Each structure stands twice: as C-alpha cells, then as structure tokens.
Amino acid sequence: MQLRPYAAADEAAVVALWRRCDLTRPWNDPHKDIQRKLTTQAELFLVGELEGGIIATIMAGFDGHRGWVNYLAVAPEHRARGYGRLLMRHIEEKLTARGCPKLNIQVRASNQAVLAFYRKIGYSIDEAVSLGKRLIPDSPPT
C-alpha cells in the first residue's frame, strides 16, 4: 500500500470507503467533513492506495494539546494485513514530529473489533467521558 495526501479527485472513492466501513452517520455529512478538514492541517489527511484504488484513509490533527484521529478506514477485504497499523504508525510519527504529547481516538463503545485493534497497537481506554455539542448542524446527505 502506498500512502499519499488526499486529493480532491479522491472524494467519491473516500466517501464510498467510509460508507463500506460503516463510519458515516446521518448527522455527519462526510463531504462536509472532508471540506472542513481541508481547511486545517490538510497534510494529515492521507489515503492508502493499492493497485490504483483507494483502500484506506486516515484523518488526523493536532490542536497544540492533543492529537486526534478520525476516519481510520481499511476496506474490509484488505483488513488483517497490517494496513491499519501502518497508517497509525505513520500518523503517530507525524504528530510526534509536531510535538504532540498524546493521541486520542474516539471509538463507539459497541465496536469491539476496533477497540481490540487499538488495544493491540498499544492504546488503552482513558478514564474520561467524551462529550459533544454540535455547533454547525449538517443536513442529512441527499
């Protein structure tokens, strides 16, 4: 798999991958999420290509206090080959180079397979509760 920065021409393939990986929700328009990401630290939005197709993505950021990862996706037929680990290692190196002391990831509590993946690569559950408040509502995608 080759990693490279996201390009505008990737949008349809990336959103399709996120849908296949069950990462989208009606209250988050993935197209708007992409456009928002491109306004800040766009270089931390990467795609993984294999044989000319996008099979993986990762979107990360650093706010000066914590790093965050969103939209880590690997196509189901390409899982368990080390691609997710490769993406995370790459982002960890990029964030460390920026002086990021800690990386946080939000995972739905019901997603035991993904929680197991993160535990396997050294992450642990923080004794914290994630709270959220939508400031700009997304309309459901048409």
Side-chain angles (χ1 to χ4, degrees), residues 1-3 48-56 77-78 81 83:
M1 179 179 70
Q2 299 295 317
L3 290 180
E49 281 187 319
L50 187 66
E51 299 173 1
I54 293 174
I55 66 153
E77 66 275 15
H78 293 286
R81 297 181 188 178
Y83 297 139

Side-chain angles (χ1 to χ4, degrees), residues 66 68 102-105 123-129:
R66 294 276 190 265
W68 291 90
K102 184 173 189 273
L103 179 54
N104 286 30
I105 304 159
Y123 288 79
S124 58
I125 294 175
D126 286 338
E127 291 299 319
V129 174

Side-chain angles (χ1 to χ4, degrees), residues 1-4 17 46-58 72-75 78-79 81-90:
M1 179 179 70
Q2 299 295 317
L3 290 180
R4 65 167 175 79
L17 175 64
L46 305 172
V47 298
E49 281 187 319
L50 187 66
E51 299 173 1
I54 293 174
I55 66 153
T57 65
I58 193 165
L72 173 64
V74 176
H78 293 286
R79 291 181 183 161
R81 297 181 188 178
Y83 297 139
R85 183 185 298 263
L86 174 76
L87 285 161
M88 287 301 295
R89 189 176 324 120
H90 185 80

Side-chain angles (χ1 to χ4, degrees), residues 4-15 34-35 38 45 47 49 52 54:
R4 65 167 175 79
Y6 170 87
D10 299 329
E11 186 168 347
V14 165
V15 171
I34 288 170
Q35 295 313 307
L38 295 178
F45 184 11
V47 298
E49 281 187 319
I54 293 174

Side-chain angles (χ1 to χ4, degrees), residues 27-28 36 131-138:
W27 54 87
N28 284 99
R36 290 172 180 136
L131 302 173
K133 178 181 180 182
R134 175 140 316 265
L135 302 176
I136 301 173
D138 286 358

Side-chain angles (χ1 to χ4, degrees), residues 110-122:
S110 62
N111 199 338
Q112 293 301 309
V114 170
L115 288 169
F117 163 76
Y118 283 115
R119 283 188 189 110
K120 188 174 179 180
I121 63 170

